[in-house]
Amino acid sequence: MATMLEGRCQTQPRSSPSGREASLWSSGFGMKLEAVTPFLGKYRPFVGRCCQTCTPKSWESLFHRSITDLGFCNVILVKEENTRFRGWLVRRLCYFLWSLEQHIPPCQDVPQKIMESTGVQNLLSGRVPGGTGEGQVPDLVKKEVQRILGHIQAPPRPFLVRLFSWALLRFLNCLFLNVQLHKGQMKMVQKAAQAGLPLVLLSTHKTLLDGILLPFMLLSQGLGVLRVAWDSRACSPALRALLRKLGGLFLPPEASLSLDSSEGLLARAVVQAVIEQLLVSGQPLLIFLEEPPGALGPRLSALGQAWVGFVVQAVQVGIVPDALLVPVAVTYDLVPDAPCDIDHASAPLGLWTGALAVLRSLWSRWGCSHRICSRVHLAQPFSLQEYIVSARSCWGGRQTLEQLLQPIVLGQCTAVPDTEKEQEWTPITGPLLALKEEDQLLVRRLSCHVLSASVGSSAVMSTAIMATLLLFKHQKLLGEFSWLTEEILLRGFDVGFSGQLRSLLQHSLSLLRAHVALLRIRQGDLLVVPQPGPGLTHLAQLSAELLPVFLSEAVGACAVRGLLAGRVPPQGPWELQGILLLSQNELYRQILLLMHLLPQDLLLLKPCQSSYCYCQEVLDRLIQCGLLVAEESWATQSSCSSSCRPPPRKKGSSSVRTQSSPSVLSGPSET
C-alpha cells in the first residue's frame, strides 16, 4: 500500500489535528502568500535528570530551573566571535585561528608515574601471589610493562590535535547541517568540571563517528582533550596508532586472559594504573556502553563494562575520592555513510579505508542542499560514590527473577511473587572476572542504569518518525506526523527537530529519498512508496528509535493479548462480545513472564526499579491510552465501545479485540 502525502493546491487552506496549520493572506501587491505557523512552539521536556532514588544529593545539585530555558547551540558553527581577533581576514581564517586557541594540557612523565603505581610495583617486586615478578628479571618485566603501555595509550600530541580539530571542523560543516547541544545540559557538565572531580562520560554508540564528534565537542566547550576508550577490534594497527596520539585508549588483548595467567595479571594492573593516572590528572574519559549497530550479541557492551570496572575500582580503593558520571547519547537523522562491516571485528577499519570513506561522504554531499542533523545529549552528572553507597545498601535478601517466577511456571504457586526482592543475574566475562562477585554485580547494575538514562534522554529525530509512518501506511503524513510528535513529547521524550511542519516533512523525505519512491499522481498530490528489500530494512532500523518511547504499551498489549488468546476459541473470530474482565493479578503475572522472556537489554529497566513498579507503570499506560478501563475492585476491563477506538491506521490493524496485534499508538482523541 502506498502513503499519500497531502499536498492540496495553494488556494485551499491546510489544517492539522491541533488547528489550522496554514492560511492564505493578501500581501497588498496582488499576490497570495502562505503563512505557516511554527511547529513545536508550546511544550518541550527537559530530559536527562539523574535518578532521584539512587542519587538524591546529585539530583538536587548541578541543576536549576533557569537552565531549561537556555536553548540550543550549534557546536560546529565557528565564527569571528569565537576567536580573540577581528577583521575580514579573521572571518576567512576563523577555523584555523579557533583550533590554535584551544587549550591542550601537556602530559608529562606519564610512563614513569604508571611504573611507580602500587599495582605495577607489587607485580615487579613479586609481592602478589602468582605475579609476573616471581622468578623473572625485573628489567624484562619493565620492558613488558612499557610494551603493554604502548598498546594502551600514547601522550597526546598538541600540534596533531589542533590540526585534526581544524580538519574535522571543516569536514563536519560539509557533512552536517548542524550539531545541536542544549546549553543547559552543557552548563551542568561545565559546573561539574569546576568541582575538581574527574568526569567519566558513558555514551551510547551509533557509529565510529561518535568517538570523534564527542571529543571535538568537549574541546570546543573548553573541557580539554577527551580520552576515548576505543574497541581495538574495530581499528587497524595504523588507525590505532593515530587515535592513540589523539588521546585514544585501547584495552590490551592480554587483559582478557584467565585469572591464573601472569600475562593477564600484568596487563590488568597496567590498565588499572592508566585509569588511575587519568582520573588523578582530571582528564575526562569517554566509554561506550552500547555495542555498535549490527553487532551480534547483547546490546550492553562487555568492553564498556570492563572500562567501567576499572573506574569503579579506582574510586573504591581511594585513588580519587569520587568521580562524576555523565550519561551521553548522540542521535542522527541518518547515520553517516561508512564502509561496509566496519563495525564488526572481522573487518577492522583501516586508515586509508577511513580516508576514502571521508572523501566519499564529501563527494556525495557536494552540491547537496539537504545535509544531516545531529543532537548531542548530556544528562545530569551524578556521583559514583553516592551511587555505590546507595546500591550496596539495598542488596540484602534479593533473588533472581528466575527464582521468583519458577514456582509460577511449574504451577507450584499462583500468587504474584514479591517482586520487591527481585535482582537480575547475568554471566560476566572478560576483565570483570578479576573483580569480586559483588563488584561485578555493581558494575552490571551501574552500566544498565546509565544506559537506560542515556537512551531515555535521546531525542527522536524526524526521519525516525517518518520511517514509522511510512511502514504503517498512514494516509495523511502532515497530520499523523504532528500527532505522533505530540505523543512522544507527552511521554517525556524529546525530539531532535523544530521548525515548520511542512519543511520538516520535506527534509525527512529528502534524506530518505534513496529508500522511498516519490510518485506524483495528480497536481498537488504526491505518492510515497517504500522501496522493497534494503529500503524496508533501513526504514525498520530507523523506526526502532521509537521503541523505547512506546515500550511499556507494547509489553502491556502483548500481555493483554496473551490473556485474551486463552479465552477465544481457536477457530472462532477474534472479536470480543461486550466487556471482558481481567484481574490485576493475571495481568501482573503475564507481564512478569514477558519480562523474564524478553532480553534485559531490550527492556532497559533501571536496577533500582522493581518489577512491581514496572507492572504498575505498564497498566497505567494502557489505561491512559484507553485500551483498559480500571474498576474500583481493581479488575480491568477491555471494552468494545467506540470510545476505545484506535487511531487511523491501515486495514487489518486495530485494537485488542481483533486478530492483529494490539496497537500501542493512540491518536489525539484517545489520550
Side-chain angles (χ1 to χ4, degrees):
M1 296 178 62
T3 301
M4 184 72 66
L5 176 60
E6 211 176 27
R8 299 188 182 94
C9 299
Q10 293 185 357
T11 57
Q12 298 178 356
R14 294 171 173 83
S15 61
S16 63
S18 59
R20 289 179 60 88
E21 185 235 341
S23 60
L24 295 180
W25 57 283
S26 176
S27 63
F29 297 97
M31 300 174 59
K32 293 291 184 179
L33 301 180
E34 184 178 14
V36 183
T37 59
F39 190 53
L40 296 179
K42 296 183 179 180
Y43 170 75
R44 195 164 202 155
F46 183 82
V47 296
R49 297 296 302 274
C50 64
C51 181
Q52 192 174 8
T53 303
C54 299
T55 54
K57 295 181 180 179
S58 300
W59 188 83
E60 295 177 356
S61 63
L62 304 177
F63 177 80
H64 193 270
R65 291 293 180 184
S66 60
I67 68 176
T68 61
D69 301 327
L70 293 181
F72 296 87
C73 65
N74 185 7
V75 296
I76 63 173
L77 180 61
V78 176
K79 299 185 296 184
E80 178 185 2
E81 291 77 10
N82 301 106
T83 65
R84 295 179 300 170
F85 309 98
R86 297 295 181 267
W88 66 271
L89 185 59
V90 175
R91 288 191 289 271
R92 288 156 178 80
L93 300 176
C94 57
Y95 288 1
F96 178 73
L97 295 175
W98 172 86
S99 62
L100 290 179
E101 293 179 355
Q102 300 306 308
H103 174 65
I104 302 175
C107 299
Q108 299 177 354
D109 300 332
V110 173
Q112 184 64 27
K113 293 180 181 178
I114 292 175
M115 290 291 296
E116 296 174 356
S117 63
T118 304
V120 175
Q121 285 298 318
N122 289 338
L123 288 176
L124 292 178
S125 59
R127 289 197 294 265
V128 175
T132 310
E134 294 182 344
Q136 295 190 19
V137 181
D139 293 338
L140 296 179
V141 181
K142 290 181 180 179
K143 292 181 180 179
E144 182 68 13
V145 171
Q146 293 175 356
R147 184 192 66 83
I148 296 175
L149 182 59
H151 183 93
I152 298 174
Q153 69 167 4
R157 306 293 178 85
F159 173 76
L160 186 60
V161 172
R162 290 189 175 93
L163 180 62
F164 188 80
S165 300
W166 169 76
L168 183 62
L169 182 59
R170 301 195 66 89
F171 169 70
L172 293 178
N173 277 276
C174 295
L175 184 63
F176 291 98
L177 180 63
N178 54 61
V179 178
Q180 296 291 333
L181 173 65
H182 198 284
K183 296 180 181 178
Q185 295 177 348
M186 192 67 238
K187 186 175 182 179
M188 288 192 302
V189 177
Q190 291 174 341
K191 186 177 179 181
Q194 296 174 359
L197 297 175
L199 292 178
V200 181
L201 284 73
L202 305 175
S203 174
T204 58
H205 199 16
K206 300 297 183 183
T207 175
L208 287 177
L209 187 61
D210 297 343
I212 300 176
L213 179 61
L214 289 175
F216 169 83
M217 181 204 68
L218 289 188
L219 181 64
S220 65
Q221 301 300 317
L223 294 179
V225 178
L226 180 64
R227 310 302 295 270
V228 184
W230 292 91
D231 187 358
S232 58
R233 300 170 299 176
C235 305
S236 66
L239 184 57
R240 288 200 298 266
L242 175 62
L243 293 177
R244 287 191 198 99
K245 296 178 181 179
L246 295 174
L249 301 174
F250 293 91
L251 193 68
E254 295 87 356
S256 300
L257 296 179
S258 59
L259 298 179
D260 56 354
S261 171
S262 59
E263 292 83 359
L265 284 174
L266 182 60
R268 286 188 289 269
V270 175
V271 176
Q272 184 67 45
V274 170
I275 295 298
E276 293 174 358
Q277 180 59 33
L278 289 179
L279 297 178
V280 169
S281 61
Q283 301 181 59
L285 175 64
L286 172 63
I287 300 174
F288 292 109
L289 285 181
E290 189 180 25
E291 292 287 351
L296 301 178
R299 181 178 184 179
L300 196 60
S301 172
L303 179 62
Q305 294 180 76
W307 287 107
V308 173
F310 291 121
V311 175
V312 171
Q313 282 293 100
V315 174
Q316 289 191 131
V317 299
I319 300 298
V320 289
D322 198 359
L324 295 178
L325 306 184
V326 185
V328 182
V330 185
T331 54
Y332 305 92
D333 279 338
L334 287 179
V335 176
D337 298 333
C340 298
D341 298 331
I342 63 172
D343 289 327
H344 299 279
S346 58
L349 178 64
L351 184 60
W352 293 110
T353 306
L356 291 177
V358 170
L359 295 177
R360 189 184 304 113
S361 300
L362 294 177
W363 178 260
S364 62
R365 298 296 171 184
W366 183 263
C368 181
S369 58
H370 298 283
R371 290 174 289 174
I372 303 173
C373 297
S374 177
R375 275 281 300 274
V376 179
H377 319 271
L378 301 175
Q380 183 180 6
F382 64 93
S383 169
L384 175 58
Q385 189 68 40
E386 183 184 7
Y387 179 85
I388 293 175
V389 174
S390 175
R392 293 187 183 278
S393 63
C394 58
W395 279 1
R398 287 184 176 265
Q399 300 176 356
T400 64
L401 188 60
E402 182 179 0
Q403 293 172 343
L404 292 172
L405 294 179
Q406 187 175 8
I408 299 178
V409 175
L410 298 179
Q412 301 174 357
C413 177
T414 57
V416 177
D418 185 7
T419 54
E420 294 291 344
K421 296 183 178 180
E422 170 260 325
Q423 178 164 293
E424 73 285 348
W425 176 87
T426 52
I428 302 295
T429 58
L432 285 180
L433 289 174
L435 302 179
K436 299 178 182 179
E437 184 178 356
E438 59 179 13
D439 291 338
Q440 296 176 8
L441 180 59
L442 174 64
V443 172
R444 170 70 184 184
R445 292 170 64 89
L446 175 61
S447 302
C448 292
H449 204 295
V450 175
L451 183 59
S452 175
S454 299
V455 174
S457 61
S458 300
V460 180
M461 307 303 287
S462 60
T463 50
I465 298 178
M466 180 61 65
T468 303
L469 297 177
L470 291 176
L471 287 177
F472 287 91
K473 310 294 190 301
H474 284 258
Q475 294 295 321
K476 299 179 180 179
L477 290 182
L478 283 175
E480 298 297 337
F481 191 98
S482 177
W483 157 71
L484 189 53
T485 302
E486 293 175 357
E487 291 292 323
I488 294 172
L489 295 175
L490 287 175
R491 284 163 174 79
F493 286 78
D494 197 7
V495 292
F497 53 86
S498 61
Q500 296 178 354
L501 180 58
R502 180 167 312 198
S503 300
L504 287 171
L505 263 66
Q506 293 176 354
H507 173 75
S508 303
L509 289 176
S510 64
L511 294 178
L512 299 176
R513 186 64 181 87
H515 309 287
V516 298
L518 305 179
L519 306 175
R520 188 175 299 277
I521 55 178
R522 61 178 181 267
Q523 184 179 6
D525 287 339
L526 197 65
L527 198 65
V528 185
V529 183
Q531 294 184 358
L536 288 177
T537 303
H538 188 81
L539 293 178
Q541 293 175 352
L542 288 175
S543 63
E545 294 185 10
L546 270 72
L547 182 60
V549 181
F550 300 99
L551 188 57
S552 298
E553 289 91 334
V555 172
C558 292
V560 172
R561 180 176 173 83
L563 292 177
L564 296 181
R567 306 188 183 188
V568 177
Q571 306 298 333
W574 242 98
E575 288 290 340
L576 299 180
Q577 303 298 328
I579 296 177
L580 184 63
L581 295 179
L582 302 174
S583 69
Q584 183 188 20
N585 289 341
E586 288 179 342
L587 285 172
Y588 276 0
R589 190 178 302 113
Q590 197 75 11
I591 295 173
L592 286 174
L593 293 175
L594 282 175
M595 291 175 60
H596 181 58
L597 177 65
L598 296 174
Q600 295 182 1
D601 296 330
L602 174 65
L603 293 175
L604 288 178
L605 297 180
K606 293 183 178 180
C608 60
Q609 181 184 18
S610 66
S611 300
Y612 174 82
C613 295
Y614 182 74
C615 293
Q616 188 62 46
E617 178 185 347
V618 169
L619 289 184
D620 293 341
R621 289 290 182 88
L622 294 180
I623 294 173
Q624 182 182 4
C625 291
L627 297 178
L628 298 178
V629 178
E631 295 286 344
E632 292 183 359
S633 60
W634 267 112
T636 14
Q637 65 178 1
S638 177
S639 176
C640 292
S641 62
S642 60
S643 61
C644 295
R645 187 179 304 165
R649 53 176 65 85
K650 68 173 183 177
K651 183 179 181 181
S653 173
S654 55
S655 64
V656 177
R657 59 184 182 274
T658 64
Q659 188 174 1
S660 61
S661 60
S663 173
V664 299
L665 300 181
S666 59
S669 59
E670 286 85 12
T671 55

